[in-house]
């Protein structure tokens, strides 16, 4: 293996994570997450798939211009136009990488690519060489390696390394692998490929069988020195290997892995919350490392043990991953400069003074409602402000909702549609149902409500509630997020944001589709 003193963390939250249904992010949101990943000290940030859309291209380019301490990567199919577009997007980066891939499993080569194995190898070599003509750092992936034949993997990887690939990725694209078998695959590839010592071997595991982290760790134990993962395990279908779990497993079990990452783990929980807020994918309470219950103890025996000696029932310290480190930093008497400074520390920067003023006004209003303002509240304020500043067909002007025992709930709303105000009202089985029906009585969107989720942003009865609404129309899925100390208002905001997203139309091209 090439000399490496640490396990490389390749974060693909902004690319594979964004392929979760409804998780599409705009450029500003991607940049916020990229800055959080940089603060985490992620080695490589896969910022997107540059050719998928103009928006993806601009987001990758903006991240390449802004991030200095991480390598910026763009995905590209093994096609000249993809590779050239990726190269253009990452050109401003201090350190750039092109990640090109082609399918290698018999089922993919036959039914998707409709190519013979030798043709696939030729195209892989040609693509790696073209990528190397743009950058020195080229990664090559064998798509669906988990179902590929070992002999063929050896052939194509050897050829890709000879062509100039310095990182070789073995993805379990469909989450088919089992840890013992996947680890053995990595071991055999490293032993059988003559030039394996000239590349870092990487893994990218999906969680269809709940084994993404286990498979990744099995690969690391057999010599893989890069893991591709996402914050909160976000990703297509059941998701990807979770960055926080990979990092803390390796760090906690140094007796087995004898290698560590460069990740600054104290920023894990803030990054998790940021990704959850932006994408509208809440973190389950029992999620390892970043879930609300991750360091909570209900059992009296456990509580007693922890009080006597923490290590009896805790293998990590909560503060080491960012829990309980977000102290109160601002209040109702804080000024604009203190507000701006704290936002910058959180990686939040508004493009215009108008946006900053709007956010500050929201902060002051929130400070009048709740005594303690936490970083999570500031993240929600920033997200809410940007949603309001973006052009959208629909907006909430004001609302009144009546919910009384023995009386059918009723919602009265004033909505703006294309700049014109309309008054609507409706009854429902509850205040939220009445609110949504009132909105639909005007917009008649034709959407199906797939998810309605409520989470508290911080603790306490005065906490802001964060609502996620998932809508589907014509096969397109979007997530809308709204936050407010009034959960009904938060629900209306979330529904309206989802309507604005779905009204914009446009579907990103999936990076694993055959070329047309």
């Amino acid at each position: 293996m090439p000399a490496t003193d640490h396990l490389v963390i390749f974060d693909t939250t902004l690319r594979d994570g964004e392929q979760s249904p409804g998780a599409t992010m705009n450029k500003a949101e991607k940049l916020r997450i990229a800055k959080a990943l940089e603060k985490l000290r992620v080695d490589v940030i896969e910022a997107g798939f540059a050719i998928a859309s103009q928006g993806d291209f601009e987001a990758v380019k903006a991240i390449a211009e802004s991030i200095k301490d991480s390598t910026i990567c763009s995905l590209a199919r093994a096609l000249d136009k993809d590779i050239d577009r990726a190269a253009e997007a990452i050109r401003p980066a201090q350190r750039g990488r092109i990640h090109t891939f082609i399918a290698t499993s018999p089922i993919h080569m036959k039914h998707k690519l409709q190519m013979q194995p030798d043709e696939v190898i030729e195209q892989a070599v040609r693509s790696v060489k073209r990528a190397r003509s743009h950058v020195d750092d080229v990664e090559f992936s064998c798509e669906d390696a988990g179902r590929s034949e070992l002999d063929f993997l050896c052939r194509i990887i050897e050829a890709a390394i000879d062509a100039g690939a310095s990182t070789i990725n073995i993805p379990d694209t469909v989450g088919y692998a089992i840890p013992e078998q996947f680890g053995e695959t990595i071991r055999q590839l490293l032993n059988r490929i003559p030039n394996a010592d000239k590349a870092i071997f990487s893994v990218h595991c999906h969680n269809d069988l709940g084994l993404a982290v286990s498979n990744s760790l099995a690969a690391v134990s057999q010599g893989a020195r890069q893991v591709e993962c996402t914050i909160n395990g976000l990703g297509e279908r059941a998701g990807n290997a979770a960055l926080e779990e990979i990092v803390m497993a390796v760090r906690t079990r140094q007796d087995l892995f004898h290698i560590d990452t460069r990740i600054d783990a104290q920023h894990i929980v803030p990054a998790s919350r940021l990704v959850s807020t932006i994408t509208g994918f809440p973190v389950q309470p029992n999620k390892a490392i970043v879930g609300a219950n991750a360091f909570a103890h209900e059992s009296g025996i456990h509580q007693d043990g922890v009080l006597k000696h923490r290590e009896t029932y805790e293998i990590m310290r909560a503060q080491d991953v960012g829990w309980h480190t977000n102290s109160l930093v601002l209040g109702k008497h804080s000024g604009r400069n203190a507000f701006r400074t704290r936002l910058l520390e959180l990686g939040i920067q508004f493009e215009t003074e108008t946006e900053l003023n709007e956010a500050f006004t929201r902060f002051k209003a929130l400070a009048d409602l709740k005594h303690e303002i936490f970083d999570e509240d500031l993240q929600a304020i920033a997200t809410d402000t940007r949603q309001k500043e973006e052009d959208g067909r629909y907006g909430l002007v004001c609302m009144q909702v009546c919910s009384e025992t023995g009386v059918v709930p009723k919602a009265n709303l004033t909505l703006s549609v294309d700049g014109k105000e309309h008054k609507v009202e409706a009854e429902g089985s509850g205040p939220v149902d009445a609110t949504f029906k009132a909105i639909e009585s005007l917009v008649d969107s034709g959407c199906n409500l797939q998810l309605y989720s409520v989470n508290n942003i911080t603790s306490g009865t005065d906490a802001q509630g964060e609502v996620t609404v998932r809508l589907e129309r014509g096969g397109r899925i979007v997530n809308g997020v709204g936050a407010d100390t009034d959960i009904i208002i938060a629900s209306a905001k979330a529904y309206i944001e989802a309507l604005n997203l779905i009204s914009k139309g446009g579907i990103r091209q999936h990076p694993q589709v055959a070329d047309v």
Side-chain angles (χ1 to χ4, degrees), residues 231-348:
I231 300 294
N232 299 337
L234 192 68
E236 282 198 273
R237 306 184 310 278
N240 290 271
L243 178 147
E244 58 276 6
E245 295 177 25
I246 295 291
V247 168
M248 295 313 296
V250 170
R251 188 157 296 174
T252 302
R253 296 307 308 270
Q254 284 288 285
D255 57 321
L256 295 179
F257 292 104
H258 309 297
I259 193 168
D260 200 357
T261 71
R262 289 176 173 167
I263 295 297
D264 184 347
Q266 291 189 40
H267 296 292
I268 284 178
V269 169
S272 167
R273 288 172 171 168
L274 175 62
V275 170
S276 177
T277 297
I278 286 177
T279 62
F281 280 68
V283 176
Q284 67 202 58
N286 62 329
K287 169 75 170 65
I289 315 298
V290 294
N293 292 348
F295 293 91
H297 299 277
E298 176 73 17
S299 164
I301 294 174
H302 286 210
Q303 291 173 345
D304 180 66
V306 169
L307 289 172
K308 290 176 177 175
H309 189 67
R310 182 187 61 80
E311 286 83 358
T312 55
Y313 286 101
E314 288 187 357
I315 60 174
M316 299 168 283
R317 296 196 314 162
Q319 56 266 42
D320 288 345
V321 296
W323 284 107
H324 310 306
T325 58
N326 293 325
S327 59
L328 176 68
V329 293
L330 295 173
K332 60 193 291 185
H333 300 297
S334 298
R336 190 183 308 272
N337 187 51
F339 177 71
R340 186 202 302 263
T341 300
R342 186 59 190 145
L343 290 180
L344 289 174
E345 291 173 354
L346 294 173
I348 301 170

Side-chain angles (χ1 to χ4, degrees), residues 48 51 69 120 179 277 312 362 380 413 453 459 488 500:
I51 205 168
D69 296 331
V120 172
T277 297
T312 55
R362 289 168 182 260
L413 284 77
S453 173
S459 59
I488 311 303
N500 281 325

Side-chain angles (χ1 to χ4, degrees), residues 258-492:
H258 309 297
I259 193 168
D260 200 357
T261 71
R262 289 176 173 167
I263 295 297
D264 184 347
Q266 291 189 40
H267 296 292
I268 284 178
V269 169
S272 167
R273 288 172 171 168
L274 175 62
V275 170
S276 177
T277 297
I278 286 177
T279 62
F281 280 68
V283 176
Q284 67 202 58
N286 62 329
K287 169 75 170 65
I289 315 298
V290 294
N293 292 348
F295 293 91
H297 299 277
E298 176 73 17
S299 164
I301 294 174
H302 286 210
Q303 291 173 345
D304 180 66
V306 169
L307 289 172
K308 290 176 177 175
H309 189 67
R310 182 187 61 80
E311 286 83 358
T312 55
Y313 286 101
E314 288 187 357
I315 60 174
M316 299 168 283
R317 296 196 314 162
Q319 56 266 42
D320 288 345
V321 296
W323 284 107
H324 310 306
T325 58
N326 293 325
S327 59
L328 176 68
V329 293
L330 295 173
K332 60 193 291 185
H333 300 297
S334 298
R336 190 183 308 272
N337 187 51
F339 177 71
R340 186 202 302 263
T341 300
R342 186 59 190 145
L343 290 180
L344 289 174
E345 291 173 354
L346 294 173
I348 301 170
Q349 187 170 4
F350 293 106
E351 294 183 2
T352 66
E353 197 69 19
T354 301
E355 286 186 348
L356 176 64
N357 292 338
E358 172 67 22
F360 185 68
T361 300
R362 289 168 182 260
F363 158 71
K364 284 292 192 179
L366 182 61
D368 284 334
L369 295 173
K370 64 192 301 273
H371 178 63
E372 297 181 333
I373 305 295
F374 295 92
D375 289 347
E376 296 91 334
D377 293 310
L378 299 180
Q379 297 279 15
I381 288 171
T383 299
D384 205 31
T385 301
R386 287 194 169 102
Q387 289 171 0
K388 184 175 180 181
E389 291 299 316
E390 289 177 6
D391 293 331
R393 290 197 64 200
Y394 310 111
L396 175 65
V397 179
C398 62
M399 64 183 294
Q400 180 183 36
V401 179
C402 177
S403 184
E404 181 180 348
T405 304
V407 177
V408 177
K410 178 183 291 186
N412 292 276
L413 284 77
T414 301
L415 303 175
S416 65
V417 181
D418 298 327
K420 184 177 181 181
E421 292 188 3
H422 302 265
K423 294 184 181 295
V424 291
E425 68 176 49
E427 295 180 341
S429 60
V432 173
D433 184 49
T435 297
F436 289 179
K437 284 180 176 175
I439 296 171
E440 280 295 333
S441 70
L442 176 64
V443 304
D444 191 21
S445 68
C447 294
N448 297 312
L449 178 63
Q450 291 196 332
L451 174 73
Y452 173 77
S453 173
V454 181
N455 293 277
N456 60 312
I457 292 178
T458 56
S459 59
T461 56
D462 63 349
Q464 289 194 91
E466 184 178 70
V467 174
T468 300
V469 168
R470 180 176 298 172
L471 298 181
E472 181 274 333
R473 185 175 68 188
R476 184 162 183 256
I477 298 173
V478 298
N479 284 340
V481 181
D484 200 277
T485 52
D486 186 317
I487 206 66
I488 311 303
I489 295 176
S491 300

Side-chain angles (χ1 to χ4, degrees), residues 75-93:
L75 186 68
R77 292 169 297 181
L79 300 170
D80 290 354
K81 62 179 182 180
D82 283 38
I83 292 166
D84 294 346
R85 189 66 164 162
E88 184 182 357
I90 65 170
R91 188 167 293 129

Side-chain angles (χ1 to χ4, degrees), residues 106-182:
I107 189 171
H108 275 233
M109 289 190 289
K110 178 180 179 181
H111 295 289
K112 188 182 78 170
L113 299 181
Q114 297 179 346
M115 295 170 65
Q116 294 300 313
D118 286 346
E119 294 176 306
V120 172
I121 293 176
E122 289 175 8
Q123 186 161 332
V125 169
R126 184 166 58 249
S127 298
V128 170
K129 287 181 177 179
R130 190 174 188 93
R132 275 301 302 268
S133 71
H134 292 292
V135 293
D136 292 332
D137 189 351
V138 174
E139 176 172 339
F140 172 72
S141 282
C142 307
E143 186 191 357
D144 202 22
R147 295 187 295 177
S148 299
E149 296 172 348
L150 192 61
D151 289 345
F152 182 69
L153 284 178
C154 289
R155 288 178 58 204
I156 195 168
I157 291 170
E158 181 180 0
I161 295 173
D162 280 343
S166 53
T167 300
I168 297 296
N169 184 42
I170 310 300
D172 182 24
T173 305
V174 294
Y176 183 70
I178 301 298
E180 183 178 2
Q181 165 254 317
F182 194 64

